[in-house]
Amino acid sequence: MSSAAKPAAILALALAMQACSDGYPAEDVPPLSPFDMSNLQRLTALNQLGATAHRDRQWSFEQVSGCRLELQYKRKGVRAVKQAIELERSIKLDVAFDEPDGTFDVHVMAGDEPNAPTVATLLESAKWTHAVQAELLLQLLARDCEPA
C-alpha cells in the first residue's frame, strides 16, 4: 500500500467504526413479542398490519370502552364500513383462505363447530403470516382487555 493510500484507508476505517459506535443498528433489534406487549402496543401493531396487509384495502382498529373493538374497513373508491365487536376471552377466531379473492381472512366465528357461521371479518391479507399475526394480536387483546 502506498504512503498516500494509508491515510485514506485509516480514515475509511475510522468512519466505519464510528458508524457502529453503539453496537448493532436499531433495525437489527428483535421485535417485541406480542405476549410482552401492552394492549395499546398490540393495537398499534394491529393497525400497522391493517394498513399494509392488502394493497387495495385498509383496516383500522380502535379499542373504545373496555373490551369493545371498533374496526373500519376501507376499499379503494368505496365508502368505509364500520363495525364493532366485543372482545371476550372465549372469542373464536379463524384464519381461512378466500380462494376467489386470494386473501387470508381473519374471522370471528359464532362457535367451535366446523360449520359455525362467520360473525365478522376482521382482516383480509395477501399474506398468511400477517393474518396469523393479526389473529394472535386479537386473541391477546381479548385476553387482557378490562371490561368497562
Side-chain angles (χ1 to χ4, degrees), residues 57-73:
R57 299 171 195 147
Q58 289 187 326
W59 297 81
S60 61
F61 304 86
E62 182 180 2
Q63 192 171 357
V64 288
S65 64
C67 294
R68 186 176 179 82
L69 182 72
E70 290 185 356
L71 58 125
Q72 181 172 297
Y73 162 80

Side-chain angles (χ1 to χ4, degrees), residues 7-55:
I10 292 171
L11 179 62
L13 181 61
L15 288 173
M17 289 175 64
Q18 184 179 12
C20 293
S21 63
D22 291 338
Y24 291 105
E27 60 270 4
D28 286 346
V29 174
L32 187 60
S33 165
F35 292 97
D36 298 327
M37 292 178 176
S38 68
N39 267 2
L40 183 59
Q41 290 171 313
R42 291 175 186 140
L43 202 55
T44 300
L46 196 56
N47 277 307
Q48 289 171 345
L49 281 172
T52 60
H54 196 285
R55 64 183 170 93

